[in-house]
Protein backbone atom coordinates (compact mmCIF):
# COMPACT_ATOMS: atom_id res chain seq x y z
CA UNK A 1 0.00 0.00 0.00
CA UNK A 2 1.14 3.53 -0.77
CA UNK A 3 0.20 7.14 -0.16
CA UNK A 4 1.38 10.61 -1.12
CA UNK A 5 3.26 12.30 1.72
CA UNK A 6 5.67 15.11 2.55
CA UNK A 7 9.31 14.01 2.75
CA UNK A 8 11.14 15.87 5.54
CA UNK A 9 14.86 16.73 5.72
CA UNK A 10 15.47 13.92 8.25
CA UNK A 11 13.99 11.37 5.85
CA UNK A 12 10.68 10.81 7.64
CA UNK A 13 7.35 11.39 5.90
CA UNK A 14 4.41 13.49 7.01
CA UNK A 15 0.76 13.15 6.04
CA UNK A 16 0.06 16.77 6.95
CA UNK A 17 2.08 19.97 6.39
CA UNK A 18 1.49 22.12 9.45
CA UNK A 19 3.41 25.09 10.78
CA UNK A 20 3.43 24.65 14.56
CA UNK A 21 3.43 27.58 16.99
CA UNK A 22 4.89 25.78 20.00
CA UNK A 23 4.45 27.56 23.37
CA UNK A 24 6.99 26.27 25.90
CA UNK A 25 5.18 27.79 28.87
CA UNK A 26 1.53 28.10 29.80
CA UNK A 27 1.93 31.92 29.88
CA UNK A 28 2.58 31.88 26.11
CA UNK A 29 -0.31 29.66 25.03
CA UNK A 30 -2.86 32.44 24.57
CA UNK A 31 -0.42 34.47 22.48
CA UNK A 32 0.21 31.42 20.31
CA UNK A 33 -3.56 30.93 19.95
CA UNK A 34 -3.97 34.50 18.69
CA UNK A 35 -1.41 33.87 15.96
CA UNK A 36 -3.23 30.77 14.72
CA UNK A 37 -6.41 32.84 14.48
CA UNK A 38 -4.57 35.27 12.20
CA UNK A 39 -2.46 32.97 10.06
CA UNK A 40 -4.03 30.10 8.14
CA UNK A 41 -1.96 26.93 8.04
CA UNK A 42 -0.68 27.28 11.61
CA UNK A 43 -1.64 25.17 14.62
CA UNK A 44 -0.94 25.31 18.34
CA UNK A 45 -2.16 23.86 21.63
CA UNK A 46 -3.17 25.05 25.09
CA UNK A 47 -1.40 23.53 28.11
CA UNK A 48 -0.38 24.31 31.69
CA UNK A 49 3.23 23.14 31.66
CA UNK A 50 6.75 24.49 31.17
CA UNK A 51 7.74 25.98 34.51
CA UNK A 52 8.52 24.85 38.07
CA UNK A 53 9.19 21.29 36.85
CA UNK A 54 12.30 19.33 37.83
CA UNK A 55 14.05 16.00 37.26
CA UNK A 56 12.29 13.29 35.26
CA UNK A 57 9.15 15.40 35.07
CA UNK A 58 11.12 18.22 33.42
CA UNK A 59 12.73 15.77 30.99
CA UNK A 60 9.42 14.21 29.98
CA UNK A 61 7.78 17.57 29.29
CA UNK A 62 10.82 18.71 27.31
CA UNK A 63 10.79 15.48 25.30
CA UNK A 64 7.08 15.92 24.54
CA UNK A 65 7.51 19.53 23.37
CA UNK A 66 10.41 18.59 21.13
CA UNK A 67 8.62 15.48 19.86
CA UNK A 68 5.63 17.51 18.74
CA UNK A 69 7.93 19.78 16.76
CA UNK A 70 9.88 16.85 15.32
CA UNK A 71 6.75 15.00 14.19
CA UNK A 72 6.93 14.67 10.38
CA UNK A 73 3.43 16.14 10.03
CA UNK A 74 5.06 19.48 10.92
CA UNK A 75 6.88 21.44 8.20
CA UNK A 76 8.35 24.06 10.51
CA UNK A 77 8.13 25.35 14.07
CA UNK A 78 8.07 28.72 15.80
CA UNK A 79 9.00 28.07 19.42
CA UNK A 80 7.35 30.71 21.57
CA UNK A 81 8.55 31.34 25.11
CA UNK A 82 7.94 33.94 27.79
CA UNK A 83 11.63 34.20 28.61
CA UNK A 84 12.05 33.29 32.27
CA UNK A 85 10.50 29.80 32.32
CA UNK A 86 12.18 26.52 33.22
CA UNK A 87 11.70 25.01 29.76
CA UNK A 88 13.68 27.53 27.73
CA UNK A 89 12.49 28.08 24.18
CA UNK A 90 16.05 28.12 22.81
CA UNK A 91 16.77 24.66 24.21
CA UNK A 92 13.56 23.16 22.80
CA UNK A 93 14.24 24.80 19.42
CA UNK A 94 17.80 23.44 19.32
CA UNK A 95 16.52 19.91 19.85
CA UNK A 96 13.89 20.25 17.11
CA UNK A 97 16.46 21.80 14.75
CA UNK A 98 18.34 18.49 14.74
CA UNK A 99 15.74 17.35 12.19
CA UNK A 100 16.90 20.20 9.88
CA UNK A 101 13.37 21.53 9.50
CA UNK A 102 12.78 25.32 9.73
CA UNK A 103 12.77 26.47 13.37
CA UNK A 104 12.50 30.00 14.79
CA UNK A 105 12.46 31.27 18.39
CA UNK A 106 10.47 34.23 19.75
CA UNK A 107 10.34 35.55 23.34
CA UNK A 108 7.42 37.59 24.66
CA UNK A 109 9.63 39.43 27.16
CA UNK A 110 12.26 40.31 24.55
CA UNK A 111 9.59 41.55 22.12
CA UNK A 112 8.09 43.91 24.66
CA UNK A 113 4.78 42.19 25.32
CA UNK A 114 1.85 40.36 23.82
CA UNK A 115 0.88 42.62 20.92
CA UNK A 116 4.41 43.04 19.56
CA UNK A 117 4.96 39.29 19.89
CA UNK A 118 1.79 38.45 18.00
CA UNK A 119 2.92 40.70 15.17
CA UNK A 120 6.43 39.19 15.08
CA UNK A 121 5.28 35.59 15.19
CA UNK A 122 2.57 36.22 12.60
CA UNK A 123 5.16 37.75 10.26
CA UNK A 124 7.47 34.73 10.58
CA UNK A 125 4.57 32.29 10.34
CA UNK A 126 3.22 33.87 7.15
CA UNK A 127 6.48 33.23 5.30
CA UNK A 128 6.85 29.75 6.80
CA UNK A 129 3.34 28.76 5.72
CA UNK A 130 3.99 30.03 2.22
CA UNK A 131 7.24 28.04 2.04
CA UNK A 132 5.40 24.97 3.32
CA UNK A 133 2.82 25.30 0.56
CA UNK A 134 5.58 24.79 -2.01
CA UNK A 135 6.62 21.37 -0.68
CA UNK A 136 5.59 18.71 -3.21
CA UNK A 137 4.10 15.38 -2.22
CA UNK A 138 5.80 12.13 -3.19
CA UNK A 139 4.65 8.54 -3.39
CA UNK A 140 5.55 6.68 -0.19
CA UNK A 141 5.14 3.15 1.11
CA UNK A 142 3.23 2.20 4.24
CA UNK A 143 6.52 1.26 5.91
CA UNK A 144 6.95 5.01 6.46
CA UNK A 145 3.91 5.14 8.75
CA UNK A 146 3.68 5.08 12.53
CA UNK A 147 0.04 4.62 13.57
CA UNK A 148 -1.01 5.07 17.18
CA UNK A 149 -3.91 3.11 18.65
CA UNK A 150 -6.06 3.85 21.66
CA UNK A 151 -9.53 3.30 23.11
CA UNK A 152 -11.59 5.50 25.38
CA UNK A 153 -15.13 5.52 26.65
CA UNK A 154 -15.27 1.76 26.16
CA UNK A 155 -18.35 -0.45 26.33
CA UNK A 156 -19.21 -4.14 26.24
CA UNK A 157 -18.74 -4.14 22.45
CA UNK A 158 -15.21 -2.69 22.46
CA UNK A 159 -13.47 -6.03 22.88
CA UNK A 160 -15.77 -7.67 20.33
CA UNK A 161 -15.82 -5.20 17.45
CA UNK A 162 -13.68 -2.06 17.07
CA UNK A 163 -10.68 -3.13 19.17
CA UNK A 164 -10.05 -6.49 17.46
CA UNK A 165 -10.70 -4.80 14.10
CA UNK A 166 -7.96 -2.31 14.91
CA UNK A 167 -5.84 -5.32 15.88
CA UNK A 168 -6.36 -6.70 12.38
CA UNK A 169 -5.40 -3.29 10.97
CA UNK A 170 -2.29 -3.31 13.18
CA UNK A 171 -1.29 -6.69 11.76
CA UNK A 172 -1.86 -5.48 8.19
CA UNK A 173 0.27 -2.39 8.84
CA UNK A 174 3.07 -4.49 10.33
CA UNK A 175 2.92 -6.79 7.29
CA UNK A 176 3.47 -3.68 5.15
CA UNK A 177 6.59 -2.83 7.17
CA UNK A 178 4.96 -0.07 9.19
CA UNK A 179 4.79 0.57 12.94
CA UNK A 180 1.76 0.26 15.21
CA UNK A 181 1.87 1.75 18.71
CA UNK A 182 -0.09 0.13 21.54
CA UNK A 183 -0.45 2.52 24.48
CA UNK A 184 -2.41 3.00 27.75
CA UNK A 185 -0.44 0.83 30.19
CA UNK A 186 -3.10 1.36 32.86
CA UNK A 187 -5.66 -0.35 30.66
CA UNK A 188 -3.42 -3.36 29.97
CA UNK A 189 -3.22 -4.37 33.63
CA UNK A 190 -4.36 -7.98 33.83
CA UNK A 191 -3.47 -8.71 30.20
CA UNK A 192 0.28 -8.10 30.43
CA UNK A 193 1.06 -11.84 30.32
CA UNK A 194 -0.58 -12.13 26.90
CA UNK A 195 1.66 -9.41 25.49
CA UNK A 196 4.78 -10.74 27.23
CA UNK A 197 4.20 -14.11 25.53
CA UNK A 198 4.54 -12.35 22.18
CA UNK A 199 7.68 -10.39 23.10
CA UNK A 200 10.61 -10.39 20.68
CA UNK A 201 12.98 -11.43 23.48
CA UNK A 202 13.24 -11.89 27.23
CA UNK A 203 14.25 -8.25 27.76
CA UNK A 204 11.04 -6.97 26.18
CA UNK A 205 8.96 -9.54 28.08
CA UNK A 206 10.55 -8.51 31.39
CA UNK A 207 9.90 -4.84 30.71
CA UNK A 208 6.22 -5.59 30.04
CA UNK A 209 5.83 -6.78 33.63
CA UNK A 210 8.02 -3.97 34.99
CA UNK A 211 5.98 -1.12 33.54
CA UNK A 212 2.73 -2.74 34.70
CA UNK A 213 4.17 -3.05 38.24
CA UNK A 214 5.34 0.57 38.14
CA UNK A 215 1.88 1.78 37.08
CA UNK A 216 0.22 -0.23 39.84
CA UNK A 217 2.70 1.07 42.44
CA UNK A 218 1.90 4.66 41.48
CA UNK A 219 -1.76 4.07 42.24
CA UNK A 220 -0.93 2.32 45.53
CA UNK A 221 1.14 5.36 46.55
CA UNK A 222 -2.04 7.39 46.00
CA UNK A 223 -3.94 5.01 48.29
CA UNK A 224 -5.74 3.08 45.53
CA UNK A 225 -5.32 -0.53 44.40
CA UNK A 226 -6.14 0.01 40.74
CA UNK A 227 -6.19 -3.71 39.86
CA UNK A 228 -9.18 -4.33 42.13
CA UNK A 229 -10.91 -1.12 41.14
CA UNK A 230 -13.60 -0.80 38.50
CA UNK A 231 -13.19 1.23 35.29
CA UNK A 232 -14.57 4.76 34.98
CA UNK A 233 -18.31 5.45 35.45
CA UNK A 234 -18.78 5.61 31.68
CA UNK A 235 -17.09 2.23 31.21
CA UNK A 236 -19.27 0.68 33.91
CA UNK A 237 -22.43 2.11 32.35
CA UNK A 238 -21.20 0.76 29.02
CA UNK A 239 -21.17 -2.75 30.45
CA UNK A 240 -17.61 -3.36 31.70
CA UNK A 241 -17.37 -4.99 35.11
CA UNK A 242 -13.66 -4.83 35.94
CA UNK A 243 -10.28 -3.46 34.94
CA UNK A 244 -9.18 -6.89 33.74
CA UNK A 245 -12.21 -7.14 31.46
CA UNK A 246 -11.39 -3.76 29.97
CA UNK A 247 -7.72 -4.73 29.63
CA UNK A 248 -8.53 -7.95 27.76
CA UNK A 249 -10.54 -5.90 25.29
CA UNK A 250 -7.96 -3.12 25.04
CA UNK A 251 -5.13 -5.56 24.35
CA UNK A 252 -6.88 -6.86 21.22
CA UNK A 253 -5.86 -3.62 19.47
CA UNK A 254 -2.37 -5.12 19.31
CA UNK A 255 -3.48 -7.86 16.92
CA UNK A 256 -1.28 -10.94 16.77
CA UNK A 257 2.09 -9.48 15.73
CA UNK A 258 5.28 -9.95 17.73
CA UNK A 259 5.93 -7.25 20.34
CA UNK A 260 9.20 -5.76 19.12
CA UNK A 261 9.87 -3.01 21.64
CA UNK A 262 8.60 -1.10 24.67
CA UNK A 263 9.37 2.62 24.67
CA UNK A 264 8.99 5.34 27.27
CA UNK A 265 6.38 8.06 26.97
CA UNK A 266 6.85 10.40 23.97
CA UNK A 267 9.93 8.55 22.69
CA UNK A 268 10.31 7.70 19.01
CA UNK A 269 10.36 3.91 18.41
CA UNK A 270 13.67 2.54 17.21
CA UNK A 271 12.12 -0.58 15.71
CA UNK A 272 9.35 -1.16 13.22
CA UNK A 273 6.43 -3.48 13.88
CA UNK A 274 4.30 -3.61 17.03
CA UNK A 275 5.58 -1.26 19.74
CA UNK A 276 4.18 -0.66 23.23
CA UNK A 277 4.49 2.91 24.53
CA UNK A 278 4.26 3.29 28.31
CA UNK A 279 1.46 5.84 28.76
CA UNK A 280 -1.36 6.40 31.24
CA UNK A 281 -4.95 5.55 30.36
CA UNK A 282 -5.90 9.24 30.09
CA UNK A 283 -7.07 9.68 26.48
CA UNK A 284 -5.43 13.03 25.75
CA UNK A 285 -2.16 12.24 27.52
CA UNK A 286 -1.67 8.95 25.69
CA UNK A 287 -2.62 10.59 22.37
CA UNK A 288 -0.07 13.35 22.96
CA UNK A 289 2.63 10.84 23.88
CA UNK A 290 2.14 8.81 20.70
CA UNK A 291 2.13 11.90 18.46
CA UNK A 292 5.27 13.22 20.20
CA UNK A 293 6.72 9.76 19.51
CA UNK A 294 6.23 10.28 15.79
CA UNK A 295 2.77 8.86 15.06
CA UNK A 296 1.41 10.52 11.91
CA UNK A 297 -2.09 9.03 12.31
CA UNK A 298 -4.00 7.70 15.35
CA UNK A 299 -6.86 5.19 15.51
CA UNK A 300 -9.21 5.83 18.43
CA UNK A 301 -12.00 3.37 19.25
CA UNK A 302 -14.91 4.29 21.50
CA UNK A 303 -18.16 2.76 22.66
CA UNK A 304 -19.45 5.91 24.36
CA UNK A 305 -18.29 8.47 21.78
CA UNK A 306 -15.59 11.15 21.87
CA UNK A 307 -14.67 14.38 20.04
CA UNK A 308 -10.94 13.90 20.73
CA UNK A 309 -8.36 15.07 18.20
CA UNK A 310 -4.77 16.28 17.91
CA UNK A 311 -3.37 19.60 16.68
CA UNK A 312 -0.99 17.90 14.24
CA UNK A 313 -2.06 14.26 13.68
CA UNK A 314 -5.39 13.18 12.17
CA UNK A 315 -7.33 10.98 14.60
CA UNK A 316 -9.67 8.41 13.05
CA UNK A 317 -12.52 7.73 15.49
CA UNK A 318 -14.07 4.25 15.28
CA UNK A 319 -17.34 3.37 17.03
CA UNK A 320 -17.87 -0.04 18.60
CA UNK A 321 -21.65 0.03 18.10
CA UNK A 322 -23.92 1.49 15.43
CA UNK A 323 -26.43 3.38 17.65
CA UNK A 324 -23.63 5.52 19.10
CA UNK A 325 -22.13 6.08 15.64
CA UNK A 326 -25.48 7.37 14.38
CA UNK A 327 -25.96 9.51 17.49
CA UNK A 328 -22.46 11.05 17.31
CA UNK A 329 -21.82 10.94 13.57
CA UNK A 330 -20.38 14.46 13.66
CA UNK A 331 -17.47 13.14 15.74
CA UNK A 332 -17.02 9.51 14.67
CA UNK A 333 -15.38 8.54 11.37
CA UNK A 334 -16.02 4.80 11.01
CA UNK A 335 -18.52 2.32 12.43
CA UNK A 336 -17.41 -1.15 13.53
CA UNK A 337 -20.85 -1.98 14.89
CA UNK A 338 -21.60 -4.19 11.90
CA UNK A 339 -19.38 -6.81 13.56
CA UNK A 340 -21.84 -6.99 16.46
CA UNK A 341 -24.84 -7.30 14.13
CA UNK A 342 -23.08 -9.92 12.02
CA UNK A 343 -23.05 -7.85 8.83
CA UNK A 344 -19.23 -7.75 8.69
CA UNK A 345 -16.37 -9.78 10.12
CA UNK A 346 -13.50 -8.44 12.23
CA UNK A 347 -11.14 -8.96 9.30
CA UNK A 348 -13.41 -7.07 6.91
CA UNK A 349 -13.63 -4.05 9.20
CA UNK A 350 -9.88 -4.20 9.81
CA UNK A 351 -9.30 -4.02 6.06
CA UNK A 352 -11.77 -1.14 5.84
CA UNK A 353 -9.83 0.73 8.53
CA UNK A 354 -6.47 0.35 6.77
CA UNK A 355 -8.05 1.69 3.57
CA UNK A 356 -9.27 4.66 5.60
CA UNK A 357 -5.71 5.19 6.84
CA UNK A 358 -4.66 5.36 3.20
CA UNK A 359 -7.39 7.93 2.41
CA UNK A 360 -6.43 10.06 5.43
CA UNK A 361 -2.72 9.80 4.62
CA UNK A 362 -3.56 11.09 1.14
CA UNK A 363 -5.33 14.12 2.61
CA UNK A 364 -8.87 13.15 3.62
CA UNK A 365 -9.80 15.18 6.70
CA UNK A 366 -11.04 13.42 9.82
CA UNK A 367 -13.98 14.77 11.82
CA UNK A 368 -11.70 16.01 14.60
CA UNK A 369 -9.61 17.96 12.07
CA UNK A 370 -12.69 19.55 10.52
CA UNK A 371 -13.95 20.58 13.96
CA UNK A 372 -10.47 21.84 15.00
CA UNK A 373 -10.36 19.55 18.05
CA UNK A 374 -6.78 20.33 19.05
CA UNK A 375 -6.36 18.40 22.29
CA UNK A 376 -3.03 18.25 24.11
CA UNK A 377 -1.97 17.02 27.53
CA UNK A 378 1.34 15.80 28.94
CA UNK A 379 1.63 12.93 31.42
CA UNK A 380 2.98 14.63 34.52
CA UNK A 381 5.08 12.32 36.70
CA UNK A 382 6.08 14.79 39.41
CA UNK A 383 4.77 17.67 41.50
CA UNK A 384 5.05 21.33 40.57
CA UNK A 385 7.62 23.27 42.63
Amino acid sequence: MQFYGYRRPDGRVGVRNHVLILPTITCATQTAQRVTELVSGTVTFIHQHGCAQVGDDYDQTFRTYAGMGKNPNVYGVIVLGLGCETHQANSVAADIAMTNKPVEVVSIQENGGTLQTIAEVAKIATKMVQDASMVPKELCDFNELIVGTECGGSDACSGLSANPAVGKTSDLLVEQGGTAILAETTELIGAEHLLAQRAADDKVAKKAYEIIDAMENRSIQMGVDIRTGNPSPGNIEGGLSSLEEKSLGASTKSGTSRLEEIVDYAKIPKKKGLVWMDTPGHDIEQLTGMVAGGAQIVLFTSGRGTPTGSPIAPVIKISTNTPMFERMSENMDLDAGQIVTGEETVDEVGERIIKEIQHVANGKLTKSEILKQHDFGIWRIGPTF
Side-chain angles (χ1 to χ4, degrees), residues 180-261:
I181 298 179
L182 178 70
E184 54 200 346
T185 300
T186 315
E187 296 173 8
L188 295 172
I189 294 173
E192 63 270 23
H193 62 292
L194 300 176
L195 291 161
Q197 290 170 3
R198 291 157 49 196
D201 54 42
D202 291 341
K203 182 179 178 181
V204 175
K206 181 181 178 183
K207 189 166 184 180
Y209 289 107
E210 288 175 348
I211 64 174
I212 289 289
D213 288 343
M215 188 65 77
E216 285 194 88
N217 288 335
R218 290 188 191 99
S219 72
I220 290 171
Q221 289 171 6
M222 298 294 291
V224 177
D225 183 357
I226 196 170
R227 189 179 286 263
T228 60
N230 281 326
S232 68
N235 291 156
I236 295 171
E237 188 175 341
L240 294 174
S241 64
S242 66
L243 180 62
E244 285 85 350
E245 184 179 11
K246 179 171 173 58
S247 296
L248 289 170
S251 66
T252 64
K253 298 194 306 298
S254 66
T256 60
S257 301
R258 186 174 69 178
L259 179 61
E260 301 290 347
E261 182 182 19

Side-chain angles (χ1 to χ4, degrees), residues 1 27 44 52 67 73 117 157 173 176 189 191 206 222 255-256 259 297-298 330 335 348 382:
M1 298 185 72
C27 313
T44 191
N73 286 353
T117 302
C157 297
L173 178 63
Q176 295 281 332
I189 294 173
K206 181 181 178 183
M222 298 294 291
T256 60
L259 179 61
I297 295 174
V298 176
E330 65 191 43
D335 180 24
E348 286 171 341

Side-chain angles (χ1 to χ4, degrees), residues 56-121:
D56 291 342
D57 190 51
Y58 169 92
D59 293 339
Q60 185 151 288
T61 295
F62 184 97
R63 184 169 69 247
T64 306
Y65 285 157
M68 294 293 283
K70 291 177 180 179
N71 187 291
N73 286 353
V74 174
Y75 165 80
V77 187
I78 302 172
V79 184
L80 177 60
L82 176 60
C84 57
E85 62 271 19
T86 306
H87 288 82
Q88 284 287 297
N90 284 322
S91 299
V92 174
D95 198 44
I96 297 171
M98 293 174 66
T99 63
N100 293 317
K101 65 176 60 179
V103 182
E104 299 283 349
V105 180
V106 178
S107 165
I108 294 174
Q109 291 173 346
E110 290 181 5
N111 272 275
T114 300
L115 299 180
Q116 293 91 328
T117 302
I118 292 172
E120 178 65 16
V121 176

Side-chain angles (χ1 to χ4, degrees), residues 283-326:
D283 292 344
I284 310 305
E285 291 181 1
Q286 63 182 279
L287 171 62
T288 299
M290 290 188 291
V291 174
Q296 302 107 316
I297 295 174
V298 176
L299 304 177
F300 191 151
T301 70
S302 181
R304 308 288 293 167
T306 177
T308 300
S310 164
I312 65 174
V315 178
I316 301 172
K317 253 77 67 62
I318 306 163
S319 68
T320 70
N321 66 86
T322 301
M324 185 275 287
F325 178 79
E326 294 174 345

Side-chain angles (χ1 to χ4, degrees), residues 9-30:
D10 64 356
R12 294 191 292 167
V13 174
V15 303
R16 294 295 183 265
N17 202 31
H18 300 301
V19 169
L20 175 63
I21 315 299
L22 198 167
T24 58
I25 175 67
T26 183
C27 313
T29 58
Q30 296 297 329

